[in-house]
Amino acid sequence: MKKIDITGKSSTSTILVGERLENLHRYLPVENPIIITDHVVLDLYRQKLPKAEIICIGTGEENKTLQTVESIYERLVQLGADRTAFIVGVGGGIVCDITGFVASTYLRGVRFGFVSSTLLAQVDASVGGKNGVNYHGYKNMVGVFNQPEFVLCDLELLQTLAEKEIQCGFAEIVKHAAIADADMFTFLENNAEQALALDHAIVEHLVSRSVSIKAAVVNHDEHERGERRKLNFGHTFGHAIEKVCGLPHGQAVSIGMSVAAALSVRRGLLAPEEATRLNNLLARLNLPSSTDAPWNDVLAALDKDKKREGQAIHFILLKQIGEAVVDSIPLEELRAVIPDHAC
Ligand SMILES: NC(=O)c1ccc[n+]([C@@H]2O[C@H](COP(=O)([O-])OP(=O)(O)OC[C@H]3O[C@@H](n4cnc5c(N)ncnc54)[C@H](O)[C@@H]3O)[C@@H](O)[C@H]2O)c1
C-alpha cells in the first residue's frame, strides 16, 4: 500500500493506494457513518461495506445534478444527521463529486472521505478536492474546493469495471506521464499490455505515480490559477469532441492529447518522434488518435467555450514527453492540424 498526502488550504487529504474496501472501518472516526454510493457499486460490493446508513443514487451524468443533491439532503435530514456526521462516497467520479459537494454544503460542511472504485476516480476525480455537479447541461458548473479526509483506492474493485471505464482511466494516466514524468511514460511503454490486463503491481505503480503527480500540482495550485491548468492536457479539445460526438471521455481526451502533441510539433516545441511515441502508446492502450467527428462543429464548440470564458483558449502543449507548457492558440492554427486527426 502507498500513502500520499495532499495539503489543501483548509485541510489535508491522505490517499491510500492499494487499501481495501473491507478495511474502510479502520478509517471511520464515527460508529455510524453515512455511505453514498450508486446502485451498480452497491449491487457488486454491498457485502464489503461496513455497518452504515446507505444512500443510493442513480448512475450517469444525468444524475449529477442539484436535484440529486437535494434528495440526499432530504435523506440526511430524515436520518437526523448533525454536524458530527461522517459521509463516505463509495464509487466512481460521479459519486465522489456529489458526495464531496453534499458533505461540503450540508450544515455548512461535515467530514467526509472517499473509496474510489473506478480507475478514473482513483487517478483523477477523487484526488485534488474539486467537488460539484452539472447545471443545465454545463459540466461541473456548481461546486466547491474541499479535500476529503481520506481516499482509499482499492485496486481489486477495478476487476469488475467495464472496458470503456478502464480506457477512461488510462487516458488520464497517459496524460499524467506526458505532462510530468518521462520515466513513468517509459514504464507505460514497457508495460502497456500488463497494465491493460490490470496486473496488480503495474497498476499500483501507475495509480500511485498519477496520484503523486496530481498531488504535487494541487499542493502548489489548489484553485487552478496556473500550474493546475497543465492537468487539462488533451481536455480542451477532448471536451469539445465529447460534446459534439458523444464519444466516451477517455477516447475524447486521447484524441485531444494527440491533437495537442501535433500542435506542439507544428510550433517547433516538440520533436516529431515524441509525438509518434505518444500516438503509439495510446494505440497500444486501445485509445484513438483520430475521429470522423464533424470538425467544424468541434471548432465551433471550442469557440463557444472561449466566448463563455471570455478569454483565449488555453492549450496545454508538450516541450518533451514529461514536460508541459500552457499557451493560447488561435482557432485558425488548430484547423491546420485537424486533417491528421480526421478518419
Ligand atoms: N473532481 C475532479 O477533479 C474530477 C476529475 C475528473 C473527472 N471528474 C468527474 O468524474 C466523473 C466520471 O467519473 P467515472 O469515470 O468514475 O464515472 P462514473 O462515476 O460514472 O462510473 C462509471 C460507471 O462505472 C460504474 N462503477 C463504478 N465502480 C465500479 C466497479 N468497481 N465495478 C463496476 N462498475 C463500477 C458506475 O456505477 C458507473 O456506471 C465525471 O462526472 C467527471 O466530471 C471529476
Side-chain angles (χ1 to χ4, degrees), residues 5 74 114 268 308 341:
D5 285 333
E74 271 170 35
F114 298 144
R308 188 158 68 87
H341 299 272

Side-chain angles (χ1 to χ4, degrees), residues 100-263:
F101 183 71
V102 165
S104 303
T105 48
Y106 181 72
L107 295 177
R108 298 191 184 86
V110 296
R111 298 171 68 187
F112 70 106
F114 298 144
V115 179
S116 45
S117 67
T118 65
L119 189 57
L120 180 116
Q122 297 187 355
V123 300
D124 195 359
S126 67
V127 180
K130 280 189 186 176
N131 314 281
V133 294
N134 305 328
Y135 182 72
H136 284 214
Y138 289 106
K139 286 253 306 168
N140 305 321
M141 189 75 160
V142 180
V144 292
F145 285 96
N146 197 13
Q147 302 292 341
E149 290 188 18
F150 61 76
V151 183
L152 309 190
C153 300
D154 181 345
L155 306 173
E156 297 306 317
L157 304 183
L158 304 180
Q159 297 294 340
T160 50
L161 265 188
E163 195 187 330
K164 165 172 84 96
E165 308 301 342
I166 304 270
Q167 268 190 337
C168 283
F170 276 117
E172 303 298 339
I173 288 172
V174 171
K175 174 193 82 178
H176 286 134
I179 62 166
D181 190 339
D183 288 346
M184 178 182 169
F185 196 93
T186 306
F187 181 87
L188 264 167
E189 290 178 313
N190 291 338
N191 297 284
E193 284 69 32
Q194 295 93 314
L196 265 187
L198 298 180
D199 176 284
H200 188 96
I202 303 288
V203 173
E204 183 172 62
H205 178 73
L206 292 171
V207 174
S208 307
R209 279 306 304 145
S210 279
V211 171
S212 300
I213 289 165
K214 188 159 182 193
V217 173
V218 173
N219 282 340
H220 274 110
D221 178 23
E222 189 182 19
H223 289 200
E224 198 167 318
R225 302 216 165 87
E227 188 72 9
R228 190 165 179 166
R229 285 192 184 142
K230 289 184 183 167
L231 294 171
N232 291 333
F233 177 56
H235 284 63
T236 317
F237 239 105
H239 282 149
I241 293 170
E242 199 176 345
K243 214 183 281 176
V244 171
C245 342
L247 273 185
H249 181 73
Q251 293 186 17
V253 167
S254 175
I255 297 162
M257 289 193 283
S258 184
V259 172
L263 274 172

Side-chain angles (χ1 to χ4, degrees), residues 118 182 213 274 286 338:
T118 65
I213 289 165
E274 297 275 276
N286 298 332
I338 281 172

Side-chain angles (χ1 to χ4, degrees), residues 56-131:
C56 184
I57 62 173
T59 58
E61 286 293 325
E62 64 275 19
N63 283 298
K64 195 174 152 182
T65 60
L66 287 171
Q67 285 77 12
T68 301
V69 169
E70 198 177 347
S71 71
I72 298 173
Y73 291 151
E74 271 170 35
R75 276 294 306 281
L76 292 173
V77 171
Q78 280 166 12
L79 291 170
D82 61 18
R83 299 288 306 272
T84 64
F86 192 92
I87 305 181
V88 191
V90 181
I94 290 186
V95 164
C96 294
D97 279 7
I98 291 177
T99 301
F101 183 71
V102 165
S104 303
T105 48
Y106 181 72
L107 295 177
R108 298 191 184 86
V110 296
R111 298 171 68 187
F112 70 106
F114 298 144
V115 179
S116 45
S117 67
T118 65
L119 189 57
L120 180 116
Q122 297 187 355
V123 300
D124 195 359
S126 67
V127 180
K130 280 189 186 176
N131 314 281

